[in-house]
């Protein structure tokens, strides 16, 4: 079945540091890839979407890129702020799915200290 | 526009008790999802509906779990005879029918089974 793996469980950075979170995936079809962000006490919300057509997504200073050759995609931000502290999930929807059946990774908890 | 509404926000049970979680999706969203999110893990799909029809309930953990959406709007997820392993946050999400991957999540119902 489809799966997504995030190996970085926790990341701690200082304000203005560079953020890089990596994710690998496995699927039998060309997927659409996503980054969701979850703040404490809230449900996940969509941050970025990356398709195999455009290979890149940008939103709120975050950038996501996709590498079909290594079946990986990553999230980066040039300069993090304390307000970026949250849990970040990579996720995919298989191309064969008629619905938004998201498969999530385990999540990366980001703490940004002033 | 109102978001996805879930209740109750919190539930604490003894093993063997039953609990029901209720979800009101965004108006006009015909697809509704229930996810289970154990502490420090990513959301895992339990069941999803298109209108009142169950599309896939193969990930419901056991016959102790059931979900309905009788009129294609609100939905109820019920756990009978809860176990400690059911401790998790139960997230409801909705979307329009296309497979865009954009799900709108509620704040979740946090269940603790003692």
């Amino acid at each position: 079945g489809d799966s997504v793996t995030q190996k970085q469980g926790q990341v701690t950075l200082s304000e203005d540091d560079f953020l890089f979170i990596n994710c690998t995936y496995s699927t039998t079809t060309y997927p659409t890839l996503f980054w969701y962000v979850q703040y404490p006490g809230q449900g996940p919300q969509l941050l970025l979407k990356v398709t195999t057509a455009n290979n890149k997504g940008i939103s709120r200073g975050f950038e996501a890129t996709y590498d079909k050759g290594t079946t990986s995609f990553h999230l980066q931000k040039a300069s993090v702020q304390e307000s970026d502290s949250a849990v970040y999930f990579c996720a995919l929807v298989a191309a064969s799915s008629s619905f938004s059946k998201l498969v999530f990774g385990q999540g990366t908890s980001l703490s940004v200290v002033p | 526009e109102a978001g996805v509404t879930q209740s109750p926000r919190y539930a604490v049970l003894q093993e063997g008790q039953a609990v029901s979680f209720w979800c009101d999706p965004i108006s006009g969203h015909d697809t509704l999802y229930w996810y289970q999110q154990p502490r420090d893990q990513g959301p895992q799909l339990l069941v999803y509906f298109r209108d009142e029809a169950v599309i896939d309930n193969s990930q419901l953990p056991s016959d102790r779990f059931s979900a309905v959406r009788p009129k294609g709007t609100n939905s109820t997820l019920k756990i009978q005879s809860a176990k400690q392993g059911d401790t998790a946050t139960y997230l409801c999400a909705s979307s329009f029918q296309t497979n865009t991957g954009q799900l709108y999540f509620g704040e979740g119902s946090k269940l603790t089974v003692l």
Side-chain angles (χ1 to χ4, degrees):
Chain A
D2 303 326
S3 67
V4 179
T5 302
Q6 286 177 259
K7 292 188 176 180
Q8 297 160 281
Q10 285 197 318
V11 173
T12 301
L13 298 173
S14 299
E15 280 195 324
D16 297 323
D17 279 352
F18 173 72
L19 171 69
F20 182 91
I21 303 174
N22 194 49
C23 194
T24 58
Y25 67 89
S26 174
T27 179
T28 57
T29 62
Y30 290 113
T32 300
L33 306 166
F34 304 86
W35 285 97
Y36 272 74
V37 58
Q38 186 173 28
Y39 298 98
Q42 297 183 23
Q45 56 184 267
L46 180 63
L47 178 62
L48 281 170
K49 173 181 174 179
V50 181
T51 67
T52 55
N54 60 22
N55 293 341
K56 182 180 287 189
I58 298 174
S59 175
R60 296 190 246 168
F62 289 89
E63 181 177 314
T65 56
Y66 154 72
D67 185 336
K68 188 174 67 174
T70 60
T71 63
S72 66
F73 61 118
H74 66 260
L75 180 71
Q76 65 183 55
K77 188 178 185 185
S79 176
V80 294
Q81 303 303 307
E82 196 174 353
S83 58
D84 295 324
S85 296
V87 181
Y88 293 81
F89 295 97
C90 52
L92 67 79
V93 169
S96 58
S97 175
S98 299
F99 297 91
S100 294
K101 184 180 173 182
L102 281 169
V103 176
F104 284 88
Q106 299 89 330
T108 297
S109 178
L110 171 65
S111 295
V112 180
V113 297
Chain B
E1 179 183 86
V4 176
T5 305
Q6 292 186 244
S7 66
R9 288 294 313 277
Y10 303 93
V12 180
L13 307 176
Q14 298 290 333
E15 276 199 321
Q17 291 185 305
V19 63
S20 292
F21 300 117
W22 178 83
C23 174
D24 185 7
I26 292 173
S27 177
H29 282 190
D30 56 359
T31 309
L32 185 147
Y33 307 78
W34 283 102
Y35 279 83
Q36 181 190 57
Q37 185 176 24
R39 183 179 173 83
D40 297 330
Q41 295 186 35
Q44 298 156 17
L45 183 65
L46 293 175
V47 59
Y48 64 107
F49 300 83
R50 167 85 175 272
D51 298 321
E52 68 279 4
V54 174
I55 303 301
D56 185 353
N57 63 359
S58 62
Q59 301 305 308
L60 280 174
S62 73
D63 57 7
R64 296 185 298 104
F65 285 68
S66 63
V68 295
R69 194 186 184 199
K71 297 182 179 179
T73 52
N74 301 337
S75 177
T76 302
L77 174 70
K78 184 172 183 178
I79 306 174
Q80 307 222 5
S81 190
K83 299 184 177 182
Q84 287 188 353
D86 300 331
T87 294
T89 297
Y90 292 84
L91 294 164
C92 178
S94 69
S95 72
F96 194 56
Q97 64 191 72
T98 56
N99 64 343
T100 62
Q102 173 128 31
L103 266 59
Y104 296 83
F105 283 87
E107 294 180 321
S109 295
K110 186 174 182 180
L111 172 65
T112 302
V113 183
L114 303 175

